[in-house]
Amino acid sequence: MAVRWLRDNKIAAGILTVMRLYLGYTFLTAGFHKLTGGFDASGFLKNAITNPVKGPEGDILYSWYVSFLNSFALPNVDVFNVIVPVGEFLIGLGLILGCLTTAAAFFALIMNYSFFLAGTVSSNPVDIFLGTIILFAGFNAGRYGLDNWVVPFFRKRVFKQNNTATAKSS
């Protein structure tokens, strides 16, 4: 019942818009500051590798993530120095404009969980909470945004053409 209200109700869409604007602002400003102030992820990655998240007994909880950071992220830090600030900025822009809101919320969650797994708490729990609600709301989260026009356009033009092409080839 609550999910149906979240996905269909116009009052919920208004509340979701406020949540979307708040989360979008945090991502947009974080990305903007990284883009304009110079960003180097190597220090963050090295710290996450040398000081991984540990459990009560002192064992490393996410050894697979530490391995990923050490073997993939750190050697490719130049790629991450671009992906992180540009990604944060685009996520923020998408959420603020309400354009491809579900995709923006999904990638916001991916980024927040990545920071969380690296041991950064910061505002991540709140961001994850808001991002999850926005993601579950689906189209309704972008109802008062560009999704009101973008999503029907994609459904009508892009997906209809793909379905037509598939049906003809069968």
PDB file of all heavy atoms in Angstrom, residues 23-51:
ATOM      1  N   LEU A  23      18.774  15.866  -2.464  1.00  0.00           N
ATOM      2  CA  LEU A  23      19.821  14.908  -2.811  1.00  0.00           C
ATOM      3  C   LEU A  23      20.586  15.368  -4.050  1.00  0.00           C
ATOM      4  O   LEU A  23      21.813  15.258  -4.115  1.00  0.00           O
ATOM      5  CB  LEU A  23      19.214  13.515  -3.038  1.00  0.00           C
ATOM      6  CG  LEU A  23      20.192  12.372  -3.235  1.00  0.00           C
ATOM      7  CD1 LEU A  23      21.097  12.213  -2.016  1.00  0.00           C
ATOM      8  CD2 LEU A  23      19.442  11.073  -3.497  1.00  0.00           C
ATOM      9  N   GLY A  24      19.866  15.912  -5.017  1.00  0.00           N
ATOM     10  CA  GLY A  24      20.509  16.425  -6.226  1.00  0.00           C
ATOM     11  C   GLY A  24      21.472  17.556  -5.921  1.00  0.00           C
ATOM     12  O   GLY A  24      22.572  17.617  -6.474  1.00  0.00           O
ATOM     13  N   TYR A  25      21.078  18.442  -5.015  1.00  0.00           N
ATOM     14  CA  TYR A  25      21.947  19.558  -4.631  1.00  0.00           C
ATOM     15  C   TYR A  25      23.231  19.054  -3.980  1.00  0.00           C
ATOM     16  O   TYR A  25      24.321  19.551  -4.287  1.00  0.00           O
ATOM     17  CB  TYR A  25      21.195  20.510  -3.691  1.00  0.00           C
ATOM     18  CG  TYR A  25      22.051  21.651  -3.209  1.00  0.00           C
ATOM     19  CD1 TYR A  25      22.290  22.750  -4.034  1.00  0.00           C
ATOM     20  CD2 TYR A  25      22.629  21.631  -1.942  1.00  0.00           C
ATOM     21  CE1 TYR A  25      23.092  23.798  -3.604  1.00  0.00           C
ATOM     22  CE2 TYR A  25      23.416  22.670  -1.503  1.00  0.00           C
ATOM     23  CZ  TYR A  25      23.655  23.748  -2.332  1.00  0.00           C
ATOM     24  OH  TYR A  25      24.455  24.778  -1.905  1.00  0.00           O
ATOM     25  N   THR A  26      23.117  18.052  -3.103  1.00  0.00           N
ATOM     26  CA  THR A  26      24.323  17.532  -2.448  1.00  0.00           C
ATOM     27  C   THR A  26      25.268  16.907  -3.470  1.00  0.00           C
ATOM     28  O   THR A  26      26.484  17.108  -3.390  1.00  0.00           O
ATOM     29  CB  THR A  26      23.990  16.506  -1.341  1.00  0.00           C
ATOM     30  OG1 THR A  26      23.311  15.396  -1.901  1.00  0.00           O
ATOM     31  CG2 THR A  26      23.157  17.122  -0.249  1.00  0.00           C
ATOM     32  N   PHE A  27      24.736  16.176  -4.442  1.00  0.00           N
ATOM     33  CA  PHE A  27      25.586  15.563  -5.459  1.00  0.00           C
ATOM     34  C   PHE A  27      26.154  16.604  -6.410  1.00  0.00           C
ATOM     35  O   PHE A  27      27.338  16.556  -6.760  1.00  0.00           O
ATOM     36  CB  PHE A  27      24.813  14.489  -6.241  1.00  0.00           C
ATOM     37  CG  PHE A  27      24.946  13.130  -5.650  1.00  0.00           C
ATOM     38  CD1 PHE A  27      24.041  12.677  -4.706  1.00  0.00           C
ATOM     39  CD2 PHE A  27      25.982  12.294  -6.019  1.00  0.00           C
ATOM     40  CE1 PHE A  27      24.160  11.424  -4.146  1.00  0.00           C
ATOM     41  CE2 PHE A  27      26.119  11.029  -5.464  1.00  0.00           C
ATOM     42  CZ  PHE A  27      25.204  10.600  -4.527  1.00  0.00           C
ATOM     43  N   LEU A  28      25.314  17.541  -6.851  1.00  0.00           N
ATOM     44  CA  LEU A  28      25.774  18.555  -7.793  1.00  0.00           C
ATOM     45  C   LEU A  28      26.894  19.390  -7.196  1.00  0.00           C
ATOM     46  O   LEU A  28      27.917  19.622  -7.846  1.00  0.00           O
ATOM     47  CB  LEU A  28      24.602  19.456  -8.207  1.00  0.00           C
ATOM     48  CG  LEU A  28      24.936  20.488  -9.282  1.00  0.00           C
ATOM     49  CD1 LEU A  28      24.871  19.833 -10.655  1.00  0.00           C
ATOM     50  CD2 LEU A  28      23.979  21.654  -9.216  1.00  0.00           C
ATOM     51  N   THR A  29      26.725  19.845  -5.963  1.00  0.00           N
ATOM     52  CA  THR A  29      27.757  20.681  -5.345  1.00  0.00           C
ATOM     53  C   THR A  29      29.031  19.885  -5.066  1.00  0.00           C
ATOM     54  O   THR A  29      30.133  20.408  -5.250  1.00  0.00           O
ATOM     55  CB  THR A  29      27.253  21.342  -4.051  1.00  0.00           C
ATOM     56  OG1 THR A  29      26.774  20.345  -3.152  1.00  0.00           O
ATOM     57  CG2 THR A  29      26.152  22.349  -4.340  1.00  0.00           C
ATOM     58  N   ALA A  30      28.895  18.624  -4.653  1.00  0.00           N
ATOM     59  CA  ALA A  30      30.085  17.795  -4.421  1.00  0.00           C
ATOM     60  C   ALA A  30      30.858  17.612  -5.720  1.00  0.00           C
ATOM     61  O   ALA A  30      32.091  17.751  -5.751  1.00  0.00           O
ATOM     62  CB  ALA A  30      29.682  16.450  -3.832  1.00  0.00           C
ATOM     63  N   GLY A  31      30.145  17.313  -6.797  1.00  0.00           N
ATOM     64  CA  GLY A  31      30.792  17.147  -8.091  1.00  0.00           C
ATOM     65  C   GLY A  31      31.395  18.435  -8.600  1.00  0.00           C
ATOM     66  O   GLY A  31      32.515  18.455  -9.128  1.00  0.00           O
ATOM     67  N   PHE A  32      30.676  19.538  -8.433  1.00  0.00           N
ATOM     68  CA  PHE A  32      31.161  20.837  -8.897  1.00  0.00           C
ATOM     69  C   PHE A  32      32.453  21.227  -8.185  1.00  0.00           C
ATOM     70  O   PHE A  32      33.406  21.675  -8.821  1.00  0.00           O
ATOM     71  CB  PHE A  32      30.085  21.909  -8.681  1.00  0.00           C
ATOM     72  CG  PHE A  32      30.520  23.272  -9.124  1.00  0.00           C
ATOM     73  CD1 PHE A  32      30.530  23.588 -10.474  1.00  0.00           C
ATOM     74  CD2 PHE A  32      30.924  24.232  -8.203  1.00  0.00           C
ATOM     75  CE1 PHE A  32      30.938  24.852 -10.900  1.00  0.00           C
ATOM     76  CE2 PHE A  32      31.331  25.481  -8.623  1.00  0.00           C
ATOM     77  CZ  PHE A  32      31.336  25.802  -9.975  1.00  0.00           C
ATOM     78  N   HIS A  33      32.494  21.045  -6.868  1.00  0.00           N
ATOM     79  CA  HIS A  33      33.699  21.386  -6.110  1.00  0.00           C
ATOM     80  C   HIS A  33      34.879  20.512  -6.521  1.00  0.00           C
ATOM     81  O   HIS A  33      36.019  20.993  -6.556  1.00  0.00           O
ATOM     82  CB  HIS A  33      33.450  21.284  -4.605  1.00  0.00           C
ATOM     83  CG  HIS A  33      32.521  22.336  -4.091  1.00  0.00           C
ATOM     84  ND1 HIS A  33      32.763  23.678  -4.211  1.00  0.00           N
ATOM     85  CD2 HIS A  33      31.333  22.233  -3.462  1.00  0.00           C
ATOM     86  CE1 HIS A  33      31.779  24.373  -3.676  1.00  0.00           C
ATOM     87  NE2 HIS A  33      30.886  23.508  -3.214  1.00  0.00           N
ATOM     88  N   LYS A  34      34.620  19.260  -6.827  1.00  0.00           N
ATOM     89  CA  LYS A  34      35.703  18.378  -7.279  1.00  0.00           C
ATOM     90  C   LYS A  34      36.163  18.769  -8.684  1.00  0.00           C
ATOM     91  O   LYS A  34      37.357  18.703  -8.987  1.00  0.00           O
ATOM     92  CB  LYS A  34      35.245  16.918  -7.254  1.00  0.00           C
ATOM     93  CG  LYS A  34      35.142  16.340  -5.858  1.00  0.00           C
ATOM     94  CD  LYS A  34      34.681  14.896  -5.897  1.00  0.00           C
ATOM     95  CE  LYS A  34      34.614  14.321  -4.500  1.00  0.00           C
ATOM     96  NZ  LYS A  34      33.279  14.320  -3.949  1.00  0.00           N
ATOM     97  N   LEU A  35      35.228  19.158  -9.546  1.00  0.00           N
ATOM     98  CA  LEU A  35      35.588  19.545 -10.905  1.00  0.00           C
ATOM     99  C   LEU A  35      36.377  20.857 -10.942  1.00  0.00           C
ATOM    100  O   LEU A  35      37.303  21.000 -11.738  1.00  0.00           O
ATOM    101  CB  LEU A  35      34.332  19.686 -11.773  1.00  0.00           C
ATOM    102  CG  LEU A  35      33.648  18.394 -12.200  1.00  0.00           C
ATOM    103  CD1 LEU A  35      32.283  18.687 -12.809  1.00  0.00           C
ATOM    104  CD2 LEU A  35      34.520  17.619 -13.177  1.00  0.00           C
ATOM    105  N   THR A  36      36.002  21.797 -10.106  1.00  0.00           N
ATOM    106  CA  THR A  36      36.640  23.116 -10.148  1.00  0.00           C
ATOM    107  C   THR A  36      37.816  23.252  -9.192  1.00  0.00           C
ATOM    108  O   THR A  36      38.665  24.116  -9.384  1.00  0.00           O
ATOM    109  CB  THR A  36      35.616  24.228  -9.830  1.00  0.00           C
ATOM    110  OG1 THR A  36      35.049  23.991  -8.537  1.00  0.00           O
ATOM    111  CG2 THR A  36      34.522  24.275 -10.879  1.00  0.00           C
ATOM    112  N   GLY A  37      37.868  22.411  -8.166  1.00  0.00           N
ATOM    113  CA  GLY A  37      38.922  22.550  -7.169  1.00  0.00           C
ATOM    114  C   GLY A  37      40.058  21.571  -7.324  1.00  0.00           C
ATOM    115  O   GLY A  37      40.958  21.523  -6.496  1.00  0.00           O
ATOM    116  N   GLY A  38      40.041  20.793  -8.366  1.00  0.00           N
ATOM    117  CA  GLY A  38      41.071  19.765  -8.521  1.00  0.00           C
ATOM    118  C   GLY A  38      40.757  18.594  -7.617  1.00  0.00           C
ATOM    119  O   GLY A  38      40.545  18.756  -6.422  1.00  0.00           O
ATOM    120  N   PHE A  39      40.709  17.427  -8.184  1.00  0.00           N
ATOM    121  CA  PHE A  39      40.336  16.239  -7.427  1.00  0.00           C
ATOM    122  C   PHE A  39      41.320  15.129  -7.720  1.00  0.00           C
ATOM    123  O   PHE A  39      41.661  14.878  -8.875  1.00  0.00           O
ATOM    124  CB  PHE A  39      38.918  15.798  -7.825  1.00  0.00           C
ATOM    125  CG  PHE A  39      38.493  14.494  -7.222  1.00  0.00           C
ATOM    126  CD1 PHE A  39      38.244  14.384  -5.867  1.00  0.00           C
ATOM    127  CD2 PHE A  39      38.356  13.357  -8.008  1.00  0.00           C
ATOM    128  CE1 PHE A  39      37.853  13.174  -5.311  1.00  0.00           C
ATOM    129  CE2 PHE A  39      37.970  12.152  -7.470  1.00  0.00           C
ATOM    130  CZ  PHE A  39      37.719  12.057  -6.114  1.00  0.00           C
ATOM    131  N   ASP A  40      41.788  14.496  -6.670  1.00  0.00           N
ATOM    132  CA  ASP A  40      42.678  13.343  -6.805  1.00  0.00           C
ATOM    133  C   ASP A  40      42.205  12.280  -5.822  1.00  0.00           C
ATOM    134  O   ASP A  40      42.275  12.476  -4.605  1.00  0.00           O
ATOM    135  CB  ASP A  40      44.115  13.742  -6.519  1.00  0.00           C
ATOM    136  CG  ASP A  40      45.098  12.611  -6.745  1.00  0.00           C
ATOM    137  OD1 ASP A  40      44.689  11.554  -7.267  1.00  0.00           O
ATOM    138  OD2 ASP A  40      46.281  12.788  -6.403  1.00  0.00           O
ATOM    139  N   ALA A  41      41.720  11.177  -6.344  1.00  0.00           N
ATOM    140  CA  ALA A  41      41.169  10.111  -5.518  1.00  0.00           C
ATOM    141  C   ALA A  41      42.236   9.215  -4.904  1.00  0.00           C
ATOM    142  O   ALA A  41      41.920   8.369  -4.068  1.00  0.00           O
ATOM    143  CB  ALA A  41      40.212   9.254  -6.353  1.00  0.00           C
ATOM    144  N   SER A  42      43.484   9.384  -5.279  1.00  0.00           N
ATOM    145  CA  SER A  42      44.526   8.454  -4.824  1.00  0.00           C
ATOM    146  C   SER A  42      44.673   8.438  -3.308  1.00  0.00           C
ATOM    147  O   SER A  42      44.849   7.368  -2.714  1.00  0.00           O
ATOM    148  CB  SER A  42      45.863   8.748  -5.499  1.00  0.00           C
ATOM    149  OG  SER A  42      46.296  10.051  -5.200  1.00  0.00           O
ATOM    150  N   GLY A  43      44.590   9.575  -2.656  1.00  0.00           N
ATOM    151  CA  GLY A  43      44.694   9.606  -1.195  1.00  0.00           C
ATOM    152  C   GLY A  43      43.547   8.865  -0.528  1.00  0.00           C
ATOM    153  O   GLY A  43      43.758   8.094   0.423  1.00  0.00           O
ATOM    154  N   PHE A  44      42.344   9.077  -1.028  1.00  0.00           N
ATOM    155  CA  PHE A  44      41.165   8.390  -0.495  1.00  0.00           C
ATOM    156  C   PHE A  44      41.288   6.882  -0.694  1.00  0.00           C
ATOM    157  O   PHE A  44      41.020   6.098   0.220  1.00  0.00           O
ATOM    158  CB  PHE A  44      39.899   8.922  -1.184  1.00  0.00           C
ATOM    159  CG  PHE A  44      38.639   8.225  -0.767  1.00  0.00           C
ATOM    160  CD1 PHE A  44      37.999   8.583   0.412  1.00  0.00           C
ATOM    161  CD2 PHE A  44      38.097   7.207  -1.538  1.00  0.00           C
ATOM    162  CE1 PHE A  44      36.837   7.940   0.810  1.00  0.00           C
ATOM    163  CE2 PHE A  44      36.938   6.559  -1.146  1.00  0.00           C
ATOM    164  CZ  PHE A  44      36.307   6.929   0.027  1.00  0.00           C
ATOM    165  N   LEU A  45      41.716   6.477  -1.889  1.00  0.00           N
ATOM    166  CA  LEU A  45      41.845   5.048  -2.193  1.00  0.00           C
ATOM    167  C   LEU A  45      42.926   4.393  -1.339  1.00  0.00           C
ATOM    168  O   LEU A  45      42.722   3.303  -0.799  1.00  0.00           O
ATOM    169  CB  LEU A  45      42.147   4.843  -3.679  1.00  0.00           C
ATOM    170  CG  LEU A  45      41.037   5.241  -4.646  1.00  0.00           C
ATOM    171  CD1 LEU A  45      41.522   5.163  -6.090  1.00  0.00           C
ATOM    172  CD2 LEU A  45      39.806   4.388  -4.438  1.00  0.00           C
ATOM    173  N   LYS A  46      44.068   5.060  -1.210  1.00  0.00           N
ATOM    174  CA  LYS A  46      45.152   4.505  -0.388  1.00  0.00           C
ATOM    175  C   LYS A  46      44.716   4.352   1.064  1.00  0.00           C
ATOM    176  O   LYS A  46      45.029   3.355   1.718  1.00  0.00           O
ATOM    177  CB  LYS A  46      46.387   5.385  -0.486  1.00  0.00           C
ATOM    178  CG  LYS A  46      47.096   5.291  -1.818  1.00  0.00           C
ATOM    179  CD  LYS A  46      48.259   6.270  -1.902  1.00  0.00           C
ATOM    180  CE  LYS A  46      48.877   6.235  -3.288  1.00  0.00           C
ATOM    181  NZ  LYS A  46      49.911   7.277  -3.449  1.00  0.00           N
ATOM    182  N   ASN A  47      43.984   5.344   1.569  1.00  0.00           N
ATOM    183  CA  ASN A  47      43.488   5.272   2.949  1.00  0.00           C
ATOM    184  C   ASN A  47      42.475   4.135   3.115  1.00  0.00           C
ATOM    185  O   ASN A  47      42.497   3.429   4.119  1.00  0.00           O
ATOM    186  CB  ASN A  47      42.869   6.604   3.373  1.00  0.00           C
ATOM    187  CG  ASN A  47      42.466   6.599   4.826  1.00  0.00           C
ATOM    188  OD1 ASN A  47      43.277   6.314   5.706  1.00  0.00           O
ATOM    189  ND2 ASN A  47      41.205   6.895   5.076  1.00  0.00           N
ATOM    190  N   ALA A  48      41.606   3.964   2.132  1.00  0.00           N
ATOM    191  CA  ALA A  48      40.612   2.886   2.207  1.00  0.00           C
ATOM    192  C   ALA A  48      41.280   1.516   2.150  1.00  0.00           C
ATOM    193  O   ALA A  48      40.783   0.559   2.750  1.00  0.00           O
ATOM    194  CB  ALA A  48      39.596   3.024   1.072  1.00  0.00           C
ATOM    195  N   ILE A  49      42.409   1.425   1.459  1.00  0.00           N
ATOM    196  CA  ILE A  49      43.138   0.162   1.363  1.00  0.00           C
ATOM    197  C   ILE A  49      43.918  -0.124   2.646  1.00  0.00           C
ATOM    198  O   ILE A  49      43.909  -1.245   3.153  1.00  0.00           O
ATOM    199  CB  ILE A  49      44.076   0.169   0.132  1.00  0.00           C
ATOM    200  CG1 ILE A  49      43.239   0.177  -1.158  1.00  0.00           C
ATOM    201  CG2 ILE A  49      45.031  -1.018   0.155  1.00  0.00           C
ATOM    202  CD1 ILE A  49      44.024   0.529  -2.406  1.00  0.00           C
ATOM    203  N   THR A  50      44.582   0.902   3.183  1.00  0.00           N
ATOM    204  CA  THR A  50      45.409   0.689   4.386  1.00  0.00           C
ATOM    205  C   THR A  50      44.584   0.659   5.673  1.00  0.00           C
ATOM    206  O   THR A  50      45.020   0.077   6.663  1.00  0.00           O
ATOM    207  CB  THR A  50      46.496   1.768   4.519  1.00  0.00           C
ATOM    208  OG1 THR A  50      45.889   3.059   4.536  1.00  0.00           O
ATOM    209  CG2 THR A  50      47.489   1.673   3.380  1.00  0.00           C
ATOM    210  N   ASN A  51      43.407   1.271   5.660  1.00  0.00           N
ATOM    211  CA  ASN A  51      42.522   1.284   6.832  1.00  0.00           C
ATOM    212  C   ASN A  51      41.141   0.774   6.455  1.00  0.00           C
ATOM    213  O   ASN A  51      40.164   1.528   6.495  1.00  0.00           O
ATOM    214  CB  ASN A  51      42.408   2.702   7.408  1.00  0.00           C
ATOM    215  CG  ASN A  51      43.728   3.262   7.830  1.00  0.00           C
ATOM    216  OD1 ASN A  51      44.454   2.630   8.585  1.00  0.00           O
ATOM    217  ND2 ASN A  51      44.068   4.443   7.330  1.00  0.00           N
TER     218      ASN A  51
END
